[in-house]
Amino acid sequence: MAYIGENSEAKNVDSSGYKFDVINIGRQVLGNLFSDFRDSFTACYRQKNIEGMKEWAEKMNTLFTDVDRLLSCESSFSIGKWIKDARDWGKNLKEKEYYEQNARCILTTWGQKATQLNDYANRGWGGLTDSYYRKRWELFTQYAIDEMSHGKEIDEKSFYNLITEFEYQWTLQTNVYSESSGEDPIRIANLLYIKYNPYFDK
């Protein structure tokens, strides 16, 4: 993710295509960084290092929040527009909620609870990244930390039941997401570059 400095000609670019690319590249770079954070959390788990697990879990959580902020700058990367478009097909409240639930399912569970096609059509979108993916990982890291704190290994079946219930309940929600935060993606990308660049320089 390149820094767009104060003296850069790019700072004056107001092209929607350019801003789209800034967000798209930024989310991919930060997504790769998340893999490093996840691996560090896993290493701490194997070492039974609970404090290390807490540290990396918090970094993962914050990274999700930051990525969501970048994505939310543009309606093309927003679940808000996706849900609004789905609800607009409905002629009454019942139909609108039906279309919204289907729109949510397509991106997540791809049907009912605990289907094999889970995440089949997943998207890295603002709103979705924070309320679904970040929360899902938070449930996992907290579960792992709690089990480790009690001297236990992760109970995969127990966690599977926990996470599939969360996923299903998310598809039933009708909370409203904005189509765009209105923030400048170039400014946000620069802030995130400054924040996360030390991890890439190691």
Side-chain angles (χ1 to χ4, degrees):
M1 181 164 54
Y3 176 65
I4 305 169
E6 291 300 323
N7 297 320
S8 171
E9 295 180 2
K11 71 176 183 176
N12 296 317
V13 175
D14 195 30
S15 162
S16 59
Y18 176 76
K19 291 181 178 180
F20 182 97
D21 287 344
V22 167
I23 296 172
N24 200 28
I25 293 172
R27 68 167 177 166
Q28 292 179 48
V29 171
L30 293 176
N32 292 339
L33 181 60
F34 176 81
S35 297
D36 294 340
F37 285 10
R38 178 204 60 205
D39 291 347
S40 295
F41 177 87
T42 301
C44 289
Y45 174 79
R46 290 172 177 165
Q47 297 163 6
K48 301 186 185 304
N49 178 358
I50 296 175
E51 291 306 312
M53 291 171 67
K54 290 179 180 179
E55 177 184 349
W56 286 106
E58 179 57 32
K59 288 182 179 181
M60 290 161 66
N61 193 62
T62 300
L63 182 57
F64 266 116
T65 300
D66 287 338
V67 171
D68 191 85
R69 184 182 181 188
L70 179 63
L71 292 168
S72 296
C73 293
E74 167 60 50
S75 62
S76 297
F77 292 98
S78 170
I79 192 177
K81 184 178 187 305
W82 173 262
I83 290 178
K84 180 182 181 300
D85 288 346
R87 290 183 67 90
D88 284 347
W89 281 95
K91 297 179 181 178
N92 53 56
L93 181 59
K94 185 175 181 180
E95 286 188 359
K96 289 178 181 295
E97 291 182 348
Y98 170 80
Y99 284 122
E100 175 173 356
Q101 184 180 355
N102 274 270
R104 286 170 174 263
C105 284
I106 288 172
L107 299 181
T108 55
T109 61
W110 197 260
Q112 296 303 308
K113 183 164 51 176
T115 61
Q116 292 183 343
L117 290 176
N118 197 55
D119 283 344
Y120 177 73
N122 64 317
R123 296 287 189 276
W125 284 350
L128 180 66
T129 297
D130 181 66
S131 69
Y132 187 77
Y133 297 116
R134 180 191 65 79
K135 183 61 178 177
R136 209 166 59 168
W137 272 100
E138 184 181 39
L139 286 171
F140 170 72
T141 56
Q142 190 57 55
Y143 184 88
I145 291 169
D146 288 345
E147 293 295 277
M148 183 66 69
S149 297
H150 290 88
K152 301 177 181 179
E153 298 290 330
I154 294 176
D155 184 331
E156 293 186 12
K157 183 177 180 180
S158 176
F159 179 72
Y160 176 79
N161 292 334
L162 172 68
I163 205 68
T164 52
E165 181 61 26
F166 162 76
E167 292 168 346
Y168 178 62
Q169 290 301 321
W170 188 90
T171 67
L172 301 179
Q173 295 175 16
T174 56
N175 53 307
V176 178
Y177 296 92
S178 64
E179 293 187 50
S180 171
S181 65
E183 290 193 289
D184 178 8
I186 298 174
R187 185 180 74 84
I188 301 304
N190 278 334
L191 291 175
L192 297 182
Y193 173 87
I194 294 170
K195 182 175 183 178
Y196 290 104
N197 190 52
Y199 293 103
F200 294 103
D201 284 345
K202 291 181 178 180

